[in-house]
Structure formats: structure tokens, C-alpha cells
Amino acid sequence: MRIDLLRWRTPLIVLGVFIVLQGIALWLFATASDEAHTARRQLVWMQKQQDVVSWITHKPDSAALNMPLAQAVTESATRAGIALSSPPAGGETVQLTLSGIEFNLLIGWLQQMQQSAGVLVVALELTPAAPGEVNVSRLVLGRPPRAQ
């Protein structure tokens, strides 16, 4: 039996081109898949590093960390323009009451103290005062225990 190659030449060429194009498409897909996998791994790594970067950029000042808590609170309140009715007593924690303080100023001050001096809010009780202001009936500030 004799096969007429000239008759099958065009379909064979089309089939060959199709197979080559399919191979190229699979290679491109595999390459893109590898790049996507690498990008996914990098994203996961960056998300894990977020806490480290946050700590580095907001690392408390070592001088402020070594300052007594009451002194750190008094100095930061003065810088923030917050008038304390009486100087806070020293100790492991500091308790304050504030009247008619702008809420945004209070939150900004607490955030600044946490970032610069490592001071944390242990307890906070407040009630609304004038529009945009609050009365703080109890604010307890402290520092986390340090590793020895």
C-alpha cells in the first residue's frame, strides 16, 4: 500500500505547527507558574517581616525606655500640650485623670508614648464631654516587663 505524502503534507504541517505551539504554550505556562509561586513566597515572607519592620521604625528611644515611667509620662504630656493636674506618682504603673481633653489629642499622645517610650495603656475609662472632647476618669499607664 502506498501513502501519498503530498496529499497529507498540509495537514501534517498544520499538525506539526500545532504541536510546537502547544509546547511553547506549556513552557510559557510553566514559567509563569514558577514566577507566580516565587512571587507568592516573597509576599508571605514580606508579610511575616511586617512586625519586624514596624518594630524597627517605631523602636522606642533607649533613653526614654530607661527614664522612670512617671518622668516619661510627664515629659511627653508637656510636649503634647497636655496639662496634668498633678504630677503622676512613680512606680510600676501611673494613674491619671484628665478633664475635657480633645479625643484625637489623647489618642495621638498615647500612640506617641507607646512608640517613643514603650508606655502602654493598661486601663482607660472615659466619658464624652464637649463635642470632640472626653473626660478621662481613669487612665493607667505602664510598661511591659523587660527580659532580664
Side-chain angles (χ1 to χ4, degrees), residues 37-147:
H37 182 70
T38 301
R40 218 175 295 122
R41 279 197 339 258
Q42 288 174 341
L43 177 63
V44 167
W45 180 83
M46 284 191 270
Q47 287 172 337
K48 288 180 181 177
Q49 301 310 311
Q50 182 177 2
D51 291 337
V52 174
V53 170
S54 177
W55 182 81
I56 289 171
T57 58
H58 295 68
K59 181 181 169 191
D61 178 30
S62 61
L65 273 175
N66 293 326
M67 185 182 301
L69 180 61
Q71 182 183 353
V73 170
T74 303
E75 288 183 12
S76 68
T78 303
R79 280 193 307 274
I82 297 173
L84 300 178
S85 56
S86 62
E92 300 261 336
T93 61
V94 169
Q95 186 165 332
L96 303 170
T97 57
L98 303 166
S99 297
I101 183 170
E102 184 184 326
F103 180 75
N104 291 338
L105 178 63
L106 173 67
I107 297 304
W109 175 55
L110 294 174
Q111 181 182 20
Q112 183 273 329
M113 278 197 304
Q114 179 183 5
Q115 292 174 351
S116 66
V119 176
L120 301 176
V121 176
V122 176
L124 175 62
E125 296 173 10
L126 49 90
T127 55
E133 293 184 352
V134 292
N135 291 322
V136 179
S137 56
R138 182 172 173 245
L139 172 60
V140 180
L141 303 169
R143 285 192 173 128
R146 293 190 208 175

